[in-house]
Amino acid sequence: MASELITVPLSKHYVPVLRGNRTVMYKTAYFGTISVGLPSPQEFTVVFDTGSGHLFVPSSKCQSDLSGSAVDLDHDGAEVEPGSQERDQVAISYGTGEIVGEFAREVVCLGGRTGNEGTNVSPASDSARCSPMRVIMATEMTTEPFDSFHFDGVLGLGLAGLALEPEFSFFGQMAKNKGMQPRFGVFVSKSDSVASEISFGGHDTRHTDSELQWVPVSKPELGYWQLKVRRIWIGGQPLALCDEGDCVAIADTGTSLLGAPRQVTEHLHWLLARKVEDADSRPDGQVDCRTFPGPDVVFEFGDVNITIGAEEYSRPAGLRVITNATNETQFICRASLLPVDEMPALGPKVWILGEPVLSKYYSAYDWEQQKVGFALARQPPASSELERPLARTHVVIGAPPREPPSATVVYI
């Protein structure tokens, strides 16, 4: 019998990126609800992150006296003696930040405490959404980036190689203990009035406009949802960096930008920049660069290609360049890219498929067959029937004004 699809709506948080005192763009994070512990579960909001392998929640918010299922552990899985003052700890890096935490075994459930708040499962199927696993109770978290966001922790959905031990792997434990179909799917909504979602036990065909096309994971033992890139095309021209077929791309739900190898980001910015000739004739002289045409970026994965355009990769605000000598003005639209440094296990040619890709394509992750599927996402209008069941289950924090930020002015 096929397992029931368990869907968790995702809330969205915008965090402004400042240059001086001006907001030039926004980072975003998507988070949903889980519950931890029995018989009195506590709710936590977490980022469902395909780029990491552990679940951490802040220990300061965990009330262990409410949970009869919590067992304190050392790093090797041995139970800690009651009253012990010494605990093993671990430090784990997350992008620009780090957490330090202690180990425990707990029961973790998708969605809220009742099973039908925050998910589409009925109370009768609550047992299908819960599993015991090892958890990291964070005792320290760096200010950046964790103080900037409104979620409690991170639930890693990377492959087993990213986890310290198999029992730390949330999806691995869910699939093993409950017979859940070992697949999950992610829908990133382009409208703040429609909830983004993550579905476990399969993928949600309501959010796809085409059949899934599957790409095998390269070197799955490393734990990343990493895909081998045959070639990358910019505006119809191949990017020389990837001509030898040794570029890789990681599908990462925890990254809000398109990540590119640092060695080529300056060149990419030049390739993706566009002059807007009639900017001054537009209302208020402002241009939303996401609506101004630009070259396509095509990732070629063997027989599967995915393409993003200016709508996905552009900064909303343009750059107004004024030449002092002549007082001439040029208005330029630019890409928003995340420079990616060389990673020891992955090499110097790593791309990150963050929100610009995952908002255009519905992505599915097959744990057992170790492959990633892409299908054009079906973006429903805000008034659609699809929105209504989820209207009360997601929030949007810090939404920017509808009009794009004013252009940055540079004098040369």
Side-chain angles (χ1 to χ4, degrees):
M1 180 177 175
S3 61
E4 185 174 6
L5 195 66
I6 300 172
T7 297
V8 180
L10 302 177
S11 294
K12 184 177 185 179
H13 184 202
Y14 289 91
V15 176
V17 176
L18 303 177
R19 294 290 182 267
N21 292 321
R22 294 184 63 255
T23 297
V24 295
M25 58 180 289
Y26 290 83
K27 294 187 293 185
T28 52
Y30 296 84
F31 55 91
T33 302
I34 62 170
S35 55
V36 177
L38 294 174
S40 300
Q42 293 176 253
E43 290 188 355
F44 294 92
T45 54
V46 295
V47 171
F48 293 90
D49 179 21
T50 57
S52 62
H54 304 92
L55 166 62
F56 87 80
V57 291
S59 63
S60 61
K61 294 187 179 181
C62 295
Q63 302 176 43
S64 58
D65 57 310
L66 296 179
S67 177
S69 56
V71 178
D72 291 337
L73 302 175
D74 281 332
H75 76 282
D76 59 1
E79 295 186 14
V80 175
E81 293 293 330
S84 175
Q85 299 299 309
E86 294 188 4
R87 295 282 305 276
D88 288 347
Q89 292 189 322
V90 65
I92 298 178
S93 296
Y94 289 89
T96 58
E98 183 179 83
I99 66 106
V100 176
E102 300 170 340
F103 305 100
R105 181 182 297 113
E106 259 291 14
V107 174
V108 178
C109 301
L110 295 165
R113 288 187 291 266
T114 65
N116 59 354
E117 294 178 9
T119 70
N120 69 352
V121 296
S122 64
S125 61
D126 276 359
S127 61
R129 66 188 184 95
C130 302
S131 179
M133 64 174 293
R134 292 197 211 175
V135 179
I136 296 172
M137 302 296 187
T139 56
E140 300 176 34
M141 292 188 285
T142 55
T143 301
E144 175 64 32
F146 299 110
D147 275 8
S148 302
F149 291 110
H150 278 241
F151 54 84
D152 297 317
V154 175
L155 193 157
L157 295 174
L159 291 164
L162 281 181
L164 291 170
E165 298 287 345
E167 286 188 0
F168 284 101
S169 171
F170 173 80
F171 196 75
Q173 291 301 104
M174 289 291 289
K176 172 184 174 183
N177 294 333
K178 299 301 176 186
M180 175 187 287
Q181 182 183 354
R183 181 182 295 179
F184 61 95
V186 177
F187 166 70
V188 177
S189 176
K190 289 187 176 183
S191 168
D192 286 348
S193 60
V194 176
S196 299
E197 297 177 357
I198 183 168
S199 299
F200 294 86
H203 70 278
D204 193 340
T205 56
R206 296 180 309 158
H207 291 308
T208 59
D209 253 345
S210 62
E211 293 294 321
L212 286 169
Q213 294 184 298
W214 294 96
V215 183
V217 172
S218 174
K219 299 182 179 179
E221 66 276 7
L222 297 179
Y224 296 100
W225 295 97
Q226 174 187 218
L227 313 174
K228 187 175 180 59
V229 178
R230 177 179 292 177
R231 189 167 290 180
I232 294 176
W233 303 81
I234 311 291
Q237 298 298 314
L239 189 67
L241 178 74
C242 301
D243 279 349
E244 297 179 5
D246 55 352
C247 284
V248 296
I250 295 173
D252 187 356
T253 56
T255 298
S256 60
L257 301 176
L258 176 66
R262 184 176 292 276
Q263 60 183 297
V264 78
T265 50
E266 184 176 348
H267 181 54
L268 277 178
H269 276 298
W270 183 82
L271 291 175
L272 298 176
R274 299 95 71 198
K275 291 182 181 179
V276 183
E277 300 294 347
D278 60 345
D280 289 334
S281 65
R282 302 190 181 206
D284 300 323
Q286 297 301 319
V287 176
D288 185 339
C289 286
R290 293 168 297 188
T291 65
F292 190 79
D296 285 342
V297 180
V298 180
F299 291 86
E300 183 181 331
F301 303 112
D303 296 330
V304 177
N305 290 354
I306 61 174
T307 302
I308 61 171
E311 178 184 355
E312 288 81 33
Y313 64 68
S314 292
R315 297 187 186 191
L319 180 69
R320 190 179 297 277
V321 181
I322 301 175
T323 304
N324 284 321
T326 62
N327 204 34
E328 291 181 339
T329 298
Q330 288 187 336
F331 192 101
I332 300 173
C333 286
R334 301 167 295 165
S336 187
L337 302 172
L338 174 69
V340 179
D341 292 317
E342 180 173 354
M343 304 170 71
L346 302 175
K349 299 183 180 182
V350 179
W351 299 72
I352 306 294
L353 306 181
E355 184 177 347
V357 172
L358 303 182
S359 61
K360 182 171 182 179
Y361 291 87
Y362 185 96
S363 57
Y365 305 79
D366 193 307
W367 180 274
E368 185 174 67
Q369 298 186 35
Q370 299 179 332
K371 59 184 181 179
V372 179
F374 296 97
L376 286 171
R378 179 181 299 162
Q379 295 284 347
S383 60
S384 75
E385 291 294 327
L386 190 59
E387 177 202 8
R388 294 177 187 173
L390 302 176
R392 297 184 301 276
T393 62
H394 82 289
V395 297
V396 178
I397 301 168
R402 289 185 178 274
E403 63 275 6
S406 57
T408 300
V409 179
V410 177
Y411 292 89
I412 58 173

